[in-house]
Amino acid sequence: GDAFTIVPGETYTFSAYIKSDVAAYLAIGGSAGYKYSETVAANQGWTRVEVSYTNNTVANQTVYPHVLSRKFEDCSTLSC
């Protein structure tokens, strides 16, 4: 996926429209951790979500946005 570099002190807000047959959410991840949007329930139609990521470190942070489902999360935990 696309990577974004955030310089120290800056905040980026990412948004996405999600439609899924399982609960899903937008996650932004980088070396300083992850931030998550609210979860969109299954079968809700197109729903806009957003999440902000602030770089509170002294170095540039590269972050990656992902849309993840609760099914993926369950399988990654349970090794499906």
Side-chain angles (χ1 to χ4, degrees):
D2 292 335
F4 298 86
T5 300
I6 303 176
V7 299
E10 285 195 357
T11 299
Y12 278 34
T13 299
F14 299 86
S15 64
Y17 284 89
I18 298 175
K19 179 181 178 183
S20 178
D21 59 354
V22 295
Y25 56 95
L26 176 61
I28 305 300
S31 58
Y34 282 82
K35 301 291 183 186
Y36 306 97
S37 72
E38 68 274 11
T39 298
V40 176
N43 303 311
Q44 291 298 304
W46 290 106
T47 303
R48 185 180 183 276
V49 295
E50 68 177 41
V51 60
S52 294
Y53 191 102
T54 301
N55 180 357
N56 292 319
T57 70
V58 296
N60 289 348
Q61 294 291 310
T62 300
V63 297
Y64 302 86
H66 305 281
V67 173
L68 300 175
S69 71
R70 291 295 179 194
K71 182 177 180 181
F72 170 82
E73 182 179 90
D74 293 343
C75 285
S76 66
T77 301
L78 301 173
S79 299
C80 296

